[in-house]
Amino acid sequence: MKILVVGCGISGTTLARVAAERGHTVTVIDRKDHVAGNCFDYFDENGIDVHQYGTHIFHTDEKAAWDFVSRFTQWYPYQHEVLALIDGQYVPIPFNLNSIQALFPSTIATRLEEKLLSHFGFNVKVPILQLRQTGDGDLQFLADYIYEKVFLHYTLKQWGMKPEDLDPAVTGRVPVYISRDNRYFQNRYQGIPLAGYTAMIEKMLDHEAITVKLNTPYEHSMKTDFDQVFYSGPIDEYFDYCEGELPYRSLRFEFLTFDRPYFQRNSVINYPCNYDFTRIGEYKYFLDTPAEKTVVSYEYPQAFVNGENERYYPVPSTANQALYARYCEMAERDDKVVFMGRLGDYCYYDMDKAVKRGLYLANTF
Ligand code: UDP
């Protein structure tokens, strides 16, 4: 078949590669001037791998997704950890037993640890919204503390909403972890592509049956030239916003270079309660690049405004899912197009889930 893939991010690229290997002829278009979508990175003059759209860490338990992307890159076995500035201390996030020890006097810390262990057990992850519902006085104190110091103000900055007004899965991504494991992710597979994400995506696209056209926005008239379209752009835009715009959150990054080996003590530091940015990422940590300078980004969340900035996050809430469902009904009546990716599926995919969806769809035709 002749296939058109709209969007050259990790979703569209996965599908394009598998389709090409199955003998289909694939054209991939993207309106941006680079491949890799929001995974795009580049090595700067210091040799530092800068992620242009913010820090990206590939992590997964999906062996099929890991095996697939591993055909196109080697990995730096990076294990991500995050610190947050809370009450003057830099403590591990997800909030865990070590965070408790760092923040509370030892008698209180011990009591809270014992309560957590007897109520939930060891090595258990508890979403903050669930921790607020135990009915136990000590745990209520702890839950209120974590809610206020870790989640409330960060989430207000990031989403413009309180945690309880968002789909619980959003704050559930960073559950309180009854453990001394300081890592952000416990997945079996985790790493940073040794040559960067862009090189990995370029290798995926490097196939004789794939043609890539950048600076090329999708137009409906293109459909007639293809048997099937896989569309990883915004589903509401595809239907000319006839049901209204799906809301997104956007980000603004302020990149700074410092003439010294390190800026901060960790790759990512969150500032839930201070400043207007949510976090600072320092890029040399991801590949442990030994440069004399260092590059960081301050991450400022903002509303998405069509034509002014980029879509980064769908906003998972009941009302938005209902609007998305109306677009899905329209999509079902158009048998030439299949939607995919964060923007096509209006879904807060991590990179591995985007790959998984691409692999799945490539098996459906
Ligand atoms: N979150 C928070 N405080 C933190 C870290 C995360 O409130 O210190 C919440 C916030 O709502 C955030 C969500 O948890 O949007 C998911 O965080 P994650 O780090 O997974 O977001 P991403 O890296 O995808 O932006």
Side-chain angles (χ1 to χ4, degrees), residues 55 57 59 80 82-84 86 93-95 128 146-147 149-156 158-159 161-163 166 169-175 184-185 251 270-272 278-279 299 313 342 348-350:
T55 57
I57 299 96
H59 60 98
H80 192 43
V82 172
L83 297 174
I86 296 173
I93 297 289
F95 201 95
I128 182 59
I146 299 173
Y147 175 82
K149 304 279 181 176
V150 178
F151 288 98
L152 177 60
H153 304 287
Y154 187 113
T155 302
L156 284 170
Q158 171 69 18
W159 300 97
M161 294 161 89
K162 289 182 170 181
L166 277 165
V170 174
T171 46
R173 290 166 59 88
V174 191
Y184 210 62
F185 310 113
L251 300 172
N270 290 0
Y271 292 87
T278 48
R279 52 190 173 188
E299 191 167 329
Y313 301 89
R342 263 197 192 194
Y348 188 174
Y349 287 130
D350 287 330

Side-chain angles (χ1 to χ4, degrees), residues 132-357:
R132 296 182 92 199
Q133 291 166 355
T134 59
D136 176 277
D138 287 329
L139 291 179
Q140 190 61 48
F141 161 78
L142 179 66
D144 288 347
Y145 181 90
I146 299 173
Y147 175 82
E148 166 82 20
K149 304 279 181 176
V150 178
F151 288 98
L152 177 60
H153 304 287
Y154 187 113
T155 302
L156 284 170
K157 282 192 267 187
Q158 171 69 18
W159 300 97
M161 294 161 89
K162 289 182 170 181
E164 57 271 30
D165 297 331
L166 277 165
D167 185 323
V170 174
T171 46
R173 290 166 59 88
V174 191
V176 174
Y177 189 19
I178 307 171
S179 167
R180 295 209 186 282
D181 183 345
N182 287 341
R183 293 172 304 167
Y184 210 62
F185 310 113
Q186 279 69 41
N187 303 102
R188 173 156 186 180
Y189 304 103
Q190 181 174 178
I192 307 290
L194 259 185
Y197 290 98
T198 304
M200 180 179 92
I201 295 285
E202 280 169 350
K203 272 201 169 175
M204 284 189 198
L205 294 167
D206 184 15
H207 187 286
E208 59 191 7
I210 299 179
T211 306
V212 179
K213 293 181 182 166
L214 298 176
N215 304 304
T216 308
Y218 171 79
E219 284 162 26
H220 285 303
S221 58
M222 295 172 173
K223 249 167 51 173
T224 48
D225 295 336
F226 296 90
D227 301 304
Q228 185 73 55
V229 179
F230 289 91
Y231 190 91
S232 68
I235 188 169
D236 54 345
E237 184 179 278
Y238 182 89
F239 291 112
D240 298 323
Y241 307 106
C242 63
E243 296 281 342
E245 275 193 42
L246 282 165
Y248 283 89
R249 291 297 284 177
S250 186
L251 300 172
R252 177 172 69 81
F253 290 95
E254 217 168 87
F255 283 93
L256 296 169
T257 302
F258 289 92
D259 196 1
R260 52 174 149 138
Y262 287 98
F263 174 79
Q264 59 190 23
R265 64 172 82 165
N266 195 62
S267 60
V268 173
I269 297 188
N270 290 0
Y271 292 87
C273 300
N274 297 89
Y275 308 111
D276 295 334
F277 50 83
T278 48
R279 52 190 173 188
I280 300 179
E282 184 165 2
Y283 290 91
K284 70 192 318 183
Y285 281 104
F286 293 115
L287 295 171
D288 280 329
T289 307
E292 282 173 10
K293 296 187 181 181
T294 192
V295 178
V296 305
S297 63
Y298 291 43
E299 191 167 329
Y300 293 89
Q302 53 189 13
F304 165 71
V305 182
N306 209 344
E308 284 183 21
N309 52 18
E310 299 279 338
R311 294 171 176 86
Y312 281 79
Y313 301 89
V315 183
S317 70
T318 314
N320 297 345
Q321 282 314 117
L323 177 54
Y324 167 66
R326 294 212 289 279
Y327 282 113
C328 284
E329 281 170 24
M330 298 170 70
E332 268 169 29
R333 293 195 288 273
D334 185 337
D335 59 6
K336 215 171 184 186
V337 64
V338 175
F339 291 89
M340 63 188 307
R342 263 197 192 194
L343 311 185
D345 288 338
Y346 198 63
C347 183
Y348 188 174
Y349 287 130
D350 287 330
M351 288 183 281
D352 66 320
K353 296 298 186 305
V355 170
K356 187 183 178 190
R357 171 105 170 118

